[in-house]
Amino acid sequence: MPVSTKGTLNVEGHELTITNPSKLLWPEIGITKADYIAKLTELAPYLLRYCRDRHLTTIRFPNGYDQKSFYQKNAPNPVPDFVKLAPLDGIDYVNLDSLSTLLWLGNLASLEFHPSFHRIGETLPMEWLIDIDPTLEEEPRIMEAAHIIGEVLDSLRIQSIPKTSGATGVQIYIPIQHGYTFEQLRKIGYFIAAYVVKRYPNLFTIERFKKNRGDKIYIDYLQHWYGKTLSAPYTPRARKDAPVSTPLLWKEVELRPSPREFNLLTVLDRLRTYGDLIERVPPQNLDAILNQLN
């Protein structure tokens, strides 16, 4: 969707003003705000699927990804009429449920989208994620670590999809049947984490304090909890190369790709080829493993 010379767009019947469309948000690769808005338009059908009807936190970078940033939980004023709010605990979160809302946030230089794990008005999780977070900034073993977790889940007959976090880590995404609690998912997460730490003590840790982890990869089974967030599937991230949190095929993980390969310049072609890989996995029944743990 091209930005006009006047800096305005008509989206879903709403006129949006695009300020400073030529401002560089990722200067090294020449992505301007106008480019970003265009790419968000194409990402929208996928990104909205995982942000709609949730409490959204964004991270804004008014002068580009490598400049000062701030977290935005409360909807920034003025709020256009078409933006729906999702109040919770005294905070007016945005409900990112439309293209016009997405592009409004994009114009505000929201470069990252982090939705709640639960839907608006609910307390149960909509999916289950295990966050695999390297201690080192450059970690060539991260895909090996993801593959090991995937094999453990597979041995438990739990289907999953790996996705790059868009930063340095990988997250294992498990669609679940509705009705499980955060407590139940944390119990399974701890069981898996403790198992792989025992089996691969030089690779994994569940040590919460980074300074005590050495070079080990942290299995963050605690992040998946009510009130916490993780990067949405298909959200851009404010890092060099404009990475995007991208679901992968397990056979791709076996080839040990760099997470940087999946970015705003490549993700749209990938989506045209594969579609949304998460949709291929049916909601998982976790009763068998929970019964064993109980």
Side-chain angles (χ1 to χ4, degrees), residues 143-185:
M143 291 295 170
E144 175 191 356
H147 192 259
I148 289 169
I149 301 285
E151 287 187 320
V152 173
L153 288 166
D154 194 52
S155 73
L156 298 172
R157 298 185 179 178
I158 299 171
Q159 293 182 56
S160 62
I161 284 285
K163 79 176 181 77
T164 64
S165 70
T168 56
V170 174
Q171 295 150 3
I172 311 298
Y173 192 108
I174 303 103
I176 57 171
Q177 294 179 3
H178 194 54
Y180 296 110
T181 65
F182 283 102
E183 289 86 354
Q184 288 174 313
L185 299 180

Side-chain angles (χ1 to χ4, degrees), residues 54-81:
R54 310 216 188 188
H55 302 276
L56 182 74
T57 298
T58 63
I59 311 180
R60 291 173 58 186
F61 294 77
N63 296 304
Y65 87 91
D66 56 347
Q67 302 297 316
K68 288 185 179 179
S69 65
F70 59 95
Y71 282 78
Q72 183 97 57
K73 291 181 180 285
N74 265 307
N77 288 315
V79 179
D81 293 341

Side-chain angles (χ1 to χ4, degrees), residues 90-145:
I91 296 173
D92 282 331
Y93 291 92
V94 169
N95 175 3
L96 178 46
D97 67 345
S98 67
L99 175 61
S100 47
T101 299
L102 177 60
L103 299 191
W104 171 68
L105 290 169
N107 178 60
L108 295 173
S110 299
L111 302 190
E112 300 193 10
F113 301 90
H114 299 252
S116 61
F117 292 118
H118 58 91
R119 289 201 189 279
I120 296 164
E122 296 187 13
T123 58
L124 294 177
M126 293 303 300
E127 65 279 302
W128 174 32
L129 283 106
I130 301 173
D131 190 25
I132 307 171
D133 192 20
T135 303
L136 305 175
E137 184 67 24
E138 293 290 332
E139 177 52 91
R141 303 173 297 171
I142 190 64
M143 291 295 170
E144 175 191 356

Side-chain angles (χ1 to χ4, degrees), residues 129-143 145-146 149 163-172 193 203-211 213-223 230-231 237 239 259:
L129 283 106
I130 301 173
D131 190 25
I132 307 171
D133 192 20
T135 303
L136 305 175
E137 184 67 24
E138 293 290 332
E139 177 52 91
R141 303 173 297 171
I142 190 64
M143 291 295 170
I149 301 285
K163 79 176 181 77
T164 64
S165 70
T168 56
V170 174
Q171 295 150 3
I172 311 298
L203 182 62
F204 291 109
T205 182
I206 53 174
E207 168 59 55
R208 293 191 68 184
F209 294 103
K210 195 169 186 177
K211 63 183 176 66
R213 293 181 200 160
D215 65 351
K216 296 177 184 178
I217 294 171
Y218 176 49
I219 306 174
D220 190 353
Y221 66 93
L222 297 170
Q223 183 63 22
L230 272 180
S231 53
R237 298 300 298 270
R239 293 203 163 220

